[in-house]
Amino acid sequence: MKILVINSGSSSIKFQLLDMEEERVLASGLVERIGEASGLLATKFNPDTEQQQVVKLEQQIADHRQGMLAAIALLTDADQGIIKDASEIGAIGHRVVHGGEDFHQPTVISKEVLEAITANIPLAPLHNPANLDGITVAMDLFPAVPQVAVFDTAFHQSMPPHAYMYALPHAYYTEDRVRRYGFHGTSHKFVATETAKMLGKPLGECNLITIHLGNGCSMTAVENGVSVDTSLGMTPLEGLVMGTRSGDVDPAIHTFLHRNKGMSLDDIDEVLNKESGLKGLCGMNDMRDIHDAIAQGDERAKLALEVQTYRNKKYIGAYMAVLGRVDGLVFTAGIGENDPDVRALSLKGLEAFGVKIDARLNDQRVKEPLQISSADSTIPVLVIPTNEELAIARETLAIVQG
Ligand code: ADP
């Protein structure tokens, strides 16, 4: 079956068409600058193979509907296209950021599901409306194709109340749904599943710490295959130090900034999400630039690396305590897959807990699943490249095949 994966943003649509017989990517594309004077549709056909072909079209794209139509026109183009017509698409999988407490797993989209995603807009005011735009257009254009919503939050719905409750007045939870939800669930579940395969154990018997370090960063404690705690909270701001997001801060800093600097709540929200994290600490949010700057003797860049990796280590320690027995520590995403220094620093000092990495194995950018722990490490350490589109396609296939 061929599955189209759609990740719809406020002014962009990312899409991937996969042939699930061999889990092969047929086309991978991006529609950008929707609603602006000049939009862009870029698509790679047969990516990462010898037949790879890249097509870029600059044209005005008024709205999501036009964007989706342009993408489908390219996929089915008589000369360049990769499928004869849209009827070859067996199912569509949509990434949806926030499923609140309504969705514990991917779900075939119905009127009720659309209403529930809409009802969760207050929890993700920027993301859910954009995801809904993509879904509405796809349902309208392909009424006969099953469409599945795959939620970033769903994997973490297994967290117990003691992990998801904030110590706030209880009515905030019952009346306003203020609690921890967690994100990056599709990625954590994917790497946990792949890790279980590498370890040769059923996922349901694995206790893992999955560490997703990209622009956004999060860590999950996986017990017997399910998420029992994760570092992102009610919004994707809590926890680890990210590219531009602060992660954990003393909540009283909000009041301090308001009283002492006259900042509004909106200003503070903007700073914590967009001007903090690595960028706040040293002015750069890309880890590659930070390494270059450290090599030039930049002390603040060094500090940013230290603050991030120290926070990683604190969370690893916390999740070791949560799990008791750990069968594997797994790094993934842009930094997790590519940065030996971040991996080594995040684990430095954990030797007494049975975590030892092999410096030679660790010293590389990882493209395929790889174990990087040394032979005498009690806890295996792995790097597993994440693949969110494939994960969404697999989940979609599983749902439509019942
Ligand atoms: P997103 O969270 O947006 O999906 P990615 O998982 O692609 O992001 O991660 C992006 C980050 O990965 C970049 O900001 C960069 O810091 C980091 N990164 C990518 N390649 C490398 C590399 N070779 N070395 C170190 N960091 C890298």
Side-chain angles (χ1 to χ4, degrees):
M1 185 190 291
K2 295 191 176 73
I3 290 187
L4 183 65
V5 173
I6 294 177
N7 181 355
S8 175
S10 56
S11 63
S12 68
I13 304 170
K14 265 199 210 167
F15 60 93
Q16 205 168 83
L17 182 68
L18 296 100
D19 184 343
M20 295 308 284
E21 303 304 320
E22 327 139 54
E23 295 198 330
R24 189 163 65 87
V25 180
L26 300 173
S28 180
L30 178 64
V31 186
E32 276 183 304
R33 306 198 297 260
I34 296 176
E36 291 180 32
S38 160
L40 177 69
L41 165 60
T43 302
K44 278 186 199 165
F45 292 107
N46 298 306
D48 306 322
T49 68
E50 284 178 7
Q51 296 91 44
Q52 172 166 309
Q53 249 196 321
V54 182
V55 180
K56 283 189 182 171
L57 301 173
E58 295 240 12
Q59 63 189 72
Q60 202 197 0
I61 298 162
D63 51 23
H64 283 71
R65 186 184 169 83
Q66 224 184 57
M68 197 87 81
L69 280 170
I72 296 299
L74 194 55
L75 292 175
T76 55
D77 182 89
D79 296 327
Q80 295 160 315
I82 201 117
I83 48 174
K84 261 214 269 1
D85 61 69
S87 69
E88 281 188 47
I89 298 170
I92 301 180
H94 294 271
R95 176 180 184 223
V96 180
V97 165
H98 218 308
E101 291 188 326
D102 298 305
F103 298 101
H104 297 229
Q105 55 195 26
T107 308
V108 174
I109 303 175
S110 62
K111 187 167 155 281
E112 290 71 32
V113 170
L114 285 177
E115 282 167 6
I117 298 172
T118 306
N120 282 315
I121 287 177
L123 295 173
L126 299 179
H127 290 99
N128 273 24
N131 299 156
L132 278 166
D133 280 344
I135 295 174
T136 321
V137 169
M139 289 182 79
D140 192 31
L141 294 176
F142 310 106
V145 180
Q147 318 237 357
V148 176
V150 181
F151 299 92
D152 251 29
T153 48
F155 182 55
H156 303 300
Q157 277 297 299
S158 45
M159 280 195 288
H162 60 250
Y164 73 65
M165 286 298 287
Y166 290 114
L168 290 169
H170 195 261
Y172 294 2
Y173 170 60
T174 50
E175 290 169 16
D176 300 297
R177 297 179 289 162
V178 175
R179 52 158 282 182
R180 310 183 62 255
Y181 292 94
F183 299 85
H184 293 151
T186 313
S187 173
H188 286 289
K189 185 176 173 189
F190 179 83
V191 298
T193 307
E194 294 302 304
T195 302
K197 285 185 202 163
M198 290 274 288
L199 296 175
K201 268 176 120 174
L203 178 61
E205 289 172 20
C206 287
N207 283 3
L208 306 170
I209 299 175
T210 51
I211 308 166
H212 177 112
L213 305 175
N215 282 314
C217 300
S218 67
M219 198 178 300
T220 296
V222 176
E223 185 172 47
N224 296 324
V226 303
S227 169
V228 292
D229 203 350
T230 193
S231 61
L232 291 170
M234 171 159 159
T235 75
L237 187 56
E238 195 177 334
L240 306 180
V241 176
M242 307 179 224
T244 64
R245 289 176 249 164
S246 62
D248 294 338
V249 292
D250 182 341
I253 289 174
H254 294 70
T255 326
F256 177 89
L257 291 175
H258 172 64
R259 290 197 186 127
N260 289 273
K261 289 172 85 76
M263 288 169 71
S264 69
L265 281 177
D266 283 343
D267 293 342
I268 296 168
D269 188 48
E270 176 92 1
V271 166
L272 292 178
N273 276 291
K274 300 198 175 142
E275 302 296 334
S276 298
L278 298 171
K279 184 177 179 195
L281 284 162
C282 72
M284 291 164 272
N285 60 289
D286 192 304
M287 198 45 98
R288 288 161 288 197
D289 297 335
I290 291 176
H291 284 298
D292 290 345
I294 293 172
Q296 305 289 319
D298 185 327
E299 285 298 322
R300 276 176 45 195
K302 184 162 167 275
L303 178 66
L305 177 69
E306 287 166 356
V307 174
Q308 191 193 52
T309 53
Y310 175 72
R311 181 85 50 88
N312 292 345
K313 179 158 67 177
K314 278 213 301 198
Y315 266 87
I316 292 170
Y319 289 169
M320 284 176 149
V322 165
L323 294 172
R325 185 198 84 232
V326 181
D327 302 311
L329 277 166
V330 198
F331 288 93
T332 194
I335 298 174
E337 292 161 27
N338 293 304
D339 197 320
D341 292 340
V342 168
R343 292 192 295 254
L345 288 168
S346 302
L347 301 179
K348 197 172 148 201
L350 296 178
E351 293 82 4
F353 297 92
V355 181
K356 290 187 195 166
I357 51 174
D358 180 314
R360 194 184 52 83
L361 287 173
N362 180 48
D363 191 18
Q364 60 184 309
R365 296 178 61 194
V366 176
K367 301 282 168 219
E368 299 290 335
L370 180 74
Q371 190 158 332
I372 57 164
S373 41
S374 55
D376 61 341
S377 182
T378 322
I379 301 178
V381 181
L382 300 97
V383 182
I384 308 268
T386 193
N387 187 338
E388 209 173 5
E389 287 77 19
L390 176 59
I392 292 174
R394 279 185 187 169
E395 303 259 20
T396 302
L397 184 70
I399 294 288
V400 296
Q401 291 185 334

